[in-house]
């Protein structure tokens, strides 16, 4: 979870109890920290540049045009286009438990320069160009994005003569990571048109339909009509993770569903998910869920009683 430094908290001015704003402005971006110390409803907010909003503390309920309302929680971020009006509820905010959110407004010129760089140096395999992301993209921060945001909060508030340069470098990495995360969402989304002509989409569909079978890079690369090394590189560029990581993620998602059934043994489940051994299944499951499969199943059953 993102955290505010004691220096920031002691230096900011608390002038209003609802969406009190502390701002830092540099050449290509402005960082705002909003704090709300009492319950409130239908608070309107809008930026004249594209913005990354990331929750620090507390809970918001977001209402966006043409989208269903959703809870916005710590560890999550939201990408919004310029001039998009947000309507926000603060159902739990109070003086001793405020809601805090970071809003990073980035100039469109900076975004366009990063897109140009990506298309020149890391083109997509399907000849399509990197373009503006699917705005109103709501996602959980991965470790890379979390660390960049934490670093940016420090850099914006630091009194350093070169901080514009430092922030510009961090912004470039942040935009690239977000665009790649957005691309992964497109491939991972169950509504993605996997019947399209994309060779990568075909392989993803094949993986999902054959999780119970042995899957290896050589066979998958043949189905994508690529060499193993090229397939691995393209897959990781497009989805941000290796083919093996993707396969294991899909298998664990399947395992989580099967573990809801108390009549299924762990052995039946790991074999149905395509794992060769229980020890490997346990290791992968624990790395993803921070709990063993047996403990997870017991916890599910206990919560039902």
């Amino acid at each position: 979870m993102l955290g505010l430094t004691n220096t920031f908290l002691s230096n900011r001015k608390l002038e209003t109890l609802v969406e009190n704003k502390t701002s830092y402005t540099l050449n290509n971006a402005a960082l705002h920290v909003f704090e709300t110390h009492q319950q409130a409803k239908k608070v309107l907010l809008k930026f004249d540049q594209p913005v990354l909003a990331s929750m620090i503390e507390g809970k918001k309920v977001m209402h966006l045009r043409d989208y269903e309302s959703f809870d916005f929680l710590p560890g999550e971020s939201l990408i919004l286009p310029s001039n998009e009006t947000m309507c926000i509820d603060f159902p739990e905010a109070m003086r001793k438990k405020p809601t805090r959110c970071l809003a990073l407004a980035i100039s469109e010129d900076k975004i366009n320069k990063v897109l140009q760089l990506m298309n020149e140096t890391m083109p997509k395999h399907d000849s399509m160009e990197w373009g503006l992301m699917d705005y109103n993209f709501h996602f959980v921060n991965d470790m890379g994005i979390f660390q960049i945001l934490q670093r940016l909060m420090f850099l914006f508030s630091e009194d350093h003569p070169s901080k514009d340069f430092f922030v510009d470098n961090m912004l470039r990495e942040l935009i690239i990571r977000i665009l790649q995360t957005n691309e992964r969402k497109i491939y991972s989304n169950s509504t993605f048109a996997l019947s399209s002509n994309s060779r990568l989409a075909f392989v993803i569909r094949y993986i999902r339909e054959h999780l119970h079978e042995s899957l290896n890079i050589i066979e998958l690369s043949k189905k994508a009509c690529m060499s193993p090394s090229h397939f691995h590189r393209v897959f990781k560029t497009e989805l941000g993770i290796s083919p093996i990581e993707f396969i294991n993620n899909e298998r664990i998602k399947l395992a989580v569903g099967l573990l809801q059934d108390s009549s299924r043994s762990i052995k039946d489940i790991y074999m149905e998910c395509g794992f060769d051994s229980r020890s490997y299944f346990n290791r992968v499951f624990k790395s993803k869920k921070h709990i063993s499969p047996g403990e997870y199943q017991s916890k599910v059953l206990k919560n039902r009683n």
Side-chain angles (χ1 to χ4, degrees), residues 115 119-120 123-124 126-132 183:
L115 286 170
N119 285 318
E120 289 173 354
K124 298 169 72 172
D126 53 11
S127 299
M128 295 180 66
E129 291 193 338
W130 292 98
L132 291 178
E183 191 80 1

Side-chain angles (χ1 to χ4, degrees), residues 17 22 43 45 68 84-85 92 100 119 140 145-146 156 190 209 211 213 218 228 232 251 260-261 279 294:
L17 295 180
T22 303
V43 177
L45 189 62
E68 291 186 9
E84 173 89 358
T85 299
E92 300 175 358
R100 293 187 170 114
N119 285 318
V140 177
I145 290 175
F146 164 80
F156 268 94
S190 60
E209 292 176 351
L211 288 173
E213 300 176 9
I218 293 175
H232 187 279
R251 284 176 167 163
Q260 312 294 317
D261 186 348
S279 62

Side-chain angles (χ1 to χ4, degrees), residues 267-284:
K267 181 179 179 180
D268 288 341
I269 291 171
Y270 82 69
M271 292 181 68
E272 189 168 340
C273 294
F275 287 97
D276 294 331
S277 68
R278 177 161 181 169
S279 62
Y280 184 53
F281 172 53
N282 284 352
R283 188 162 68 250
V284 175

Side-chain angles (χ1 to χ4, degrees), residues 13-22 33-45 59-60 87-95 98-101:
K13 294 180 180 178
L14 193 59
E15 299 174 337
T16 176
L17 295 180
V18 177
E19 290 292 69
N20 185 79
K21 183 172 71 170
T22 303
V33 176
F34 291 92
E35 300 177 78
T36 295
H37 292 256
Q38 67 181 31
Q39 293 183 9
K41 284 189 174 184
K42 297 182 179 179
V43 177
L44 301 181
L45 189 62
K59 172 184 172 180
K60 291 182 179 181
C87 181
I88 309 169
D89 297 337
F90 300 86
E92 300 175 358
M94 58 183 70
R95 287 300 295 264
T99 296
R100 293 187 170 114
C101 181

